[in-house]
Amino acid sequence: AFYNCGSLASITLPASVTSIGNQAFQKTGLTSVDLSGCAGLTAISEQAFYECGSLKSIKLPNSLQSIGNQAFRQTGLTSVDLSKCTGLTAISEQAFMSCGSLESIKWPDKLQSIGEQAFQQTGLTNVDLSNCTELTTIGERAFFDCGSLASITLPASVTSIGNSAFRDCSKLASVDLSSCTGLTTISEWAFYNC
């Protein structure tokens, strides 16, 4: 809809919006987006805000249930609050990949899976998933090359950690998996070069 509108710095959406389509705002000049008033918004689709390098902040509605592949890839986001998105159970592949300024995430309690490369090459410093008591899967390269990541806390529910999931997290000093009593698979290179 607004693909490649590089001068588009702000937008106000009506409360009636229920979904944001593929590439809807890709390569725009948006600096902040407030979707908190879109009480019926359930889906942000693939590449919706991809390559919005000026996008520093976003407010999401509690109603959000899905974030598509690469939805916020290569944006300038510094933090994201997903904690009130009670219907959000999955974060898709590459959803926040290459968001180098992204330092913190507030996670949704009902999260069940983190997709491949979802947070690869982000600026996250701490990942505390202890409240995500239904999380079972951390996908391949989910946090690959997060050079500032110093600590990880995982819930007991985790059953698998994917290939290269935390590879090249060079500042990672300690990981305690003792409470992960259902963990059956730590894939190859999961913590390689840490």
Side-chain angles (χ1 to χ4, degrees):
F2 297 94
Y3 177 86
N4 206 26
C5 293
S7 298
L8 182 64
S10 67
I11 193 161
T12 304
L13 297 177
S16 56
V17 170
T18 58
S19 67
I20 295 175
N22 293 359
Q23 301 175 300
F25 297 99
Q26 182 175 345
K27 290 187 177 181
T28 57
L30 291 170
T31 57
S32 66
V33 175
D34 186 352
L35 300 172
S36 59
C38 301
L41 179 64
T42 59
I44 296 175
S45 301
E46 292 184 17
Q47 300 181 331
F49 295 93
Y50 178 33
E51 295 179 300
C52 292
S54 299
L55 183 60
K56 305 298 183 188
S57 68
I58 190 159
K59 292 181 181 178
L60 299 169
N62 299 354
S63 55
L64 189 64
Q65 296 177 11
S66 68
I67 295 174
N69 293 358
Q70 302 182 336
F72 296 99
R73 181 176 174 177
Q74 287 179 239
T75 59
L77 291 171
T78 57
S79 65
V80 176
D81 186 354
L82 302 173
S83 62
K84 294 175 183 171
C85 303
T86 53
L88 185 63
T89 58
I91 297 174
S92 299
E93 293 178 18
Q94 301 181 4
F96 295 92
M97 181 179 173
S98 298
C99 294
S101 299
L102 183 60
E103 295 183 352
S104 67
I105 297 271
K106 290 184 179 179
W107 306 93
D109 289 350
K110 300 294 184 182
L111 188 64
Q112 296 174 9
S113 66
I114 297 174
E116 292 182 18
Q117 299 176 285
F119 296 95
Q120 179 175 328
Q121 293 175 326
T122 57
L124 292 172
T125 57
N126 171 51
V127 172
D128 185 353
L129 295 161
S130 56
N131 290 330
C132 303
T133 55
E134 297 177 23
L135 180 66
T136 58
T137 306
I138 297 175
E140 289 187 18
R141 292 172 284 176
F143 297 93
F144 173 52
D145 197 18
C146 290
S148 299
L149 186 60
S151 65
I152 304 165
T153 307
L154 300 178
S157 55
V158 168
T159 59
S160 67
I161 298 174
N163 187 325
S164 302
F166 296 98
R167 181 175 176 170
D168 288 340
C169 293
S170 55
K171 288 190 177 178
L172 193 59
S174 66
V175 179
D176 186 355
L177 301 174
S178 60
S179 66
C180 302
T181 53
L183 183 62
T184 57
T185 305
I186 299 175
S187 298
E188 56 189 358
W189 301 313
F191 295 93
Y192 178 85
N193 205 29
C194 292

